[in-house]
Amino acid sequence: MKYDYLIVGSGLFGVTFAYLAKQKGKRCLVIDKRSHLGGNIYCENIEGINVHKYGAHIFHTSNKQVWDFVNSIVEFNRYTNSPVANYKGKLYNLPFNMNTFYQMWGVTTPDEAMAKIEEQKAEAVAKMNADGVTEPRNLEEQAKTLIGTDIYESLIKGYTEKQWGRKCIELPAFIIKRLPVRLVFDNNYFNDKYQGIPIGGYNKLIDGLLDGVETRTGVDFSTLKGTWHDIADKLVYTGAIDEYFDYCYGKLEYRTVRFETEVLDTANYQGNAVVNYTEREVPYTRVIEHKHFEMFGQEVYNCPKTVISKEYSTEWQQGMEPYYPVNDQRNNELAEKYREKAKNNKDVIFGGRLAEYKYYDMAPIIEQVFEIFNNK
Ligand code: FAD
Ligand code: UDP
């Protein structure tokens, strides 16, 4: 019997699509080239700890419909992302807030903090004016005019240059606009209304969404390319778009992350899920201690070991995991050509971060799938 949909990729896009299609009475087959389901939110259990194998994932959204949807599949815990920055052994709270300003300058009131920031911003603006420019031309100028030199030099410069592999003066200003600046004592990284981690881990979310759906792992779509019409009426493709079109216009590029994961014989290594190392001389960008996403209070000590991952941001090469699209002119133009070509394939739905060559957080991925079903 033929399927209604062959879904290539069991990441959040593919499995949310499968769940909603099944509710409409459609038959789906989900395939994935990896040996497991779940795409990049898949977790591997090591020593009783859910290890985020493809990078730390924190679910956050202000969309109540999305939040209710994921919670209808699995309940979420109260994890609140509050990363700490380590600069030359001294710790600072993130995002930039009153705690950070106190740690940086000893200021204790919002007015004092504001005065300090304004003083530093004025210096940066004066320097730009001396160069005859009014708008920040790059990330360095953007950061300095947003928050001042002290924070830029200690908490932004080194981290950003490691993450993007390029100097801040060569990077676009918009990257840093994402960082919130707050004049309250609030270490919650996200401004969203809802956040958390599925209780029992992300695999529970995947399994719940795929309940009753047929799946096959270890199957690469390339082996079915000429024959998929025999299997299903329609295709949902969440793999890389350039690969789908046999790289006919050339290859898209990515940034990737290499993880060095270690099991340690201690219950609590760094006291927080995320510690950013913001100086250039430390080769990794951050250290994730996975248990803190799901274990709180005494639970941390009930589990005698811990698992940490050091993240090294690197240039992507064929065979590595493609993580972040590169937002430069070459890649944007190339991706646009592929997206145009995709529009001619009426029986294929291209979706998700690889098929769109666009960075998406998890909640917007679910919103995308909702939209497809609302328009059906
Ligand atoms: P994926 O999860 O990548 O799934 C695509 C699937 O398709 C993969 O399983 C792949 O194996 C399969 N596939 C590809 N090609 C083929 C083929 N030819 N044949 C068969 N199968 C194929 N979002 C947040 O909201 N919060 C976070 O904290 C967060 N942290 C992140 C950290 C990192 C390092 C990264 C890279 C992303 C992060 N995200 C985060 C984003 C989140 O991972 C994505 O929104 C989500 O994974 C996108 O799902 P997807 O289905 O589009 O892609
Ligand atoms: N950033 C920084 N120092 C930090 C954390 C972030 O300078 O300690 C900068 C960096 O340039 C990064 C950007 O802020 O690319 C956005 O960081 P965020 O953690 O919000 O997003 P991510 O890129 O990790 O998804």
Side-chain angles (χ1 to χ4, degrees):
M1 199 168 86
K2 237 180 154 183
Y3 296 94
D4 293 298
Y5 293 104
L6 172 65
I7 301 175
V8 178
S10 63
L12 198 54
F13 190 100
V15 302
T16 305
F17 191 99
Y19 180 86
L20 294 180
K22 183 173 164 271
Q23 283 198 325
K24 291 205 177 251
K26 304 289 183 196
R27 247 188 108 209
C28 302
L29 173 65
V30 178
I31 62 164
D32 205 294
K33 65 180 177 187
R34 290 179 179 160
S35 61
H36 61 75
L37 301 165
N40 283 354
I41 66 175
Y42 170 76
C43 291
E44 191 174 12
N45 196 285
I46 303 176
E47 301 285 347
I49 298 160
N50 287 320
V51 173
H52 297 211
K53 195 177 158 73
Y54 301 96
H57 279 73
I58 301 127
F59 197 96
H60 58 99
T61 183
S62 290
N63 183 329
K64 187 164 186 318
Q65 198 197 353
V66 168
W67 184 243
D68 288 345
F69 173 74
V70 290
N71 274 275
S72 74
I73 307 295
V74 53
E75 201 185 329
F76 275 57
N77 71 17
R78 61 142 180 96
Y79 176 78
T80 304
N81 197 30
S82 315
V84 168
N86 181 320
Y87 178 68
K88 300 196 170 170
K90 196 172 169 207
L91 301 181
Y92 298 87
N93 287 110
L94 295 173
F96 307 136
N97 73 86
M98 281 303 296
N99 288 309
T100 330
F101 306 140
Y102 172 66
Q103 290 146 352
M104 184 68 61
W105 299 310
V107 293
T108 56
T109 66
D111 282 350
E112 284 170 19
M114 196 60 174
K116 196 78 195 163
I117 293 169
E118 286 305 327
E119 177 193 312
Q120 298 218 341
K121 277 164 74 167
E123 278 172 31
V125 171
K127 196 167 178 304
M128 271 174 52
N129 288 346
D131 290 349
V133 286
T134 47
E135 283 295 308
R137 288 165 295 187
N138 53 52
L139 193 145
E140 176 169 309
E141 287 180 355
Q142 175 69 49
K144 284 184 172 177
T145 52
L146 191 75
I147 197 75
T149 304
D150 288 348
I151 288 188
Y152 169 71
E153 291 290 345
S154 49
L155 303 182
I156 297 176
K157 191 170 190 274
Y159 186 93
T160 301
E161 293 191 345
K162 284 190 282 188
Q163 173 150 349
W164 297 99
R166 263 178 280 165
K167 295 229 174 308
C168 286
I169 48 168
E170 292 160 9
L171 284 165
F174 79 87
I175 295 178
I176 211 72
K177 282 185 191 154
R178 287 203 278 163
L179 280 188
V181 177
R182 298 202 191 111
L183 289 171
V184 287
F185 292 91
D186 179 3
N187 299 328
N188 180 352
Y189 200 64
F190 299 119
N191 289 318
D192 279 319
K193 216 162 163 181
Y194 313 106
Q195 69 177 301
I197 306 284
I199 294 175
Y202 281 97
N203 296 3
K204 290 248 187 266
L205 177 63
I206 296 298
D207 293 348
L209 289 167
L210 286 176
D211 190 24
V213 176
E214 286 178 61
T215 60
R216 307 256 191 290
T217 52
V219 182
D220 196 308
F221 176 67
S222 59
T223 61
L224 301 172
K225 210 155 186 190
T227 56
W228 74 262
H229 278 107
D230 301 337
I231 303 171
D233 291 335
K234 279 201 158 204
L235 183 70
V236 176
Y237 183 81
T238 74
I241 192 162
D242 54 351
E243 187 182 319
Y244 184 90
F245 292 114
D246 299 318
Y247 309 101
C248 63
Y249 300 132
K251 281 188 178 164
L252 290 163
E253 293 165 313
Y254 299 85
R255 285 288 294 169
T256 193
V257 186
R258 183 171 63 80
F259 302 102
E260 251 177 42
T261 297
E262 297 166 64
V263 180
L264 302 179
D265 218 359
T266 176
N268 190 2
Y269 171 73
Q270 61 182 19
N272 205 31
V274 185
V275 178
N276 292 358
Y277 284 80
T278 56
E279 68 197 88
R280 191 69 192 84
E281 291 68 31
V282 176
Y284 40 87
T285 49
R286 46 182 206 175
V287 178
I288 304 297
E289 188 171 12
H290 299 266
K291 66 175 2 180
H292 295 297
F293 288 122
E294 294 185 58
M295 295 177 191
F296 306 99
Q298 186 53 40
E299 288 165 352
V300 170
Y301 290 92
N302 293 345
C303 168
K305 297 205 175 178
T306 198
V307 182
I308 61 162
S309 299
K310 291 183 178 144
E311 296 190 0
Y312 297 81
S313 181
T314 35
E315 212 61 60
W316 175 83
Q317 279 163 10
Q318 198 72 32
M320 292 177 170
E321 291 294 342
Y323 280 141
Y324 299 103
V326 177
N327 282 307
D328 62 13
Q329 202 182 344
R330 177 197 171 265
N331 285 287
N332 287 341
E333 283 174 8
L334 199 54
E336 195 46 40
K337 275 171 90 172
Y338 281 118
R339 284 191 286 257
E340 277 303 312
K341 196 170 171 65
K343 285 183 189 159
N344 301 326
N345 289 247
K346 298 288 177 221
D347 49 1
V348 186
I349 295 170
F350 292 88
R353 58 178 200 98
L354 293 170
E356 294 187 45
Y357 192 70
K358 187 164 178 237
Y359 180 84
Y360 280 113
D361 272 332
M362 290 178 275
I365 284 281
I366 294 175
E367 285 167 4
Q368 292 284 102
V369 183
F370 280 175
E371 214 161 283
I372 293 173
F373 279 84
N374 288 340
N375 294 334
K376 266 189 188 296

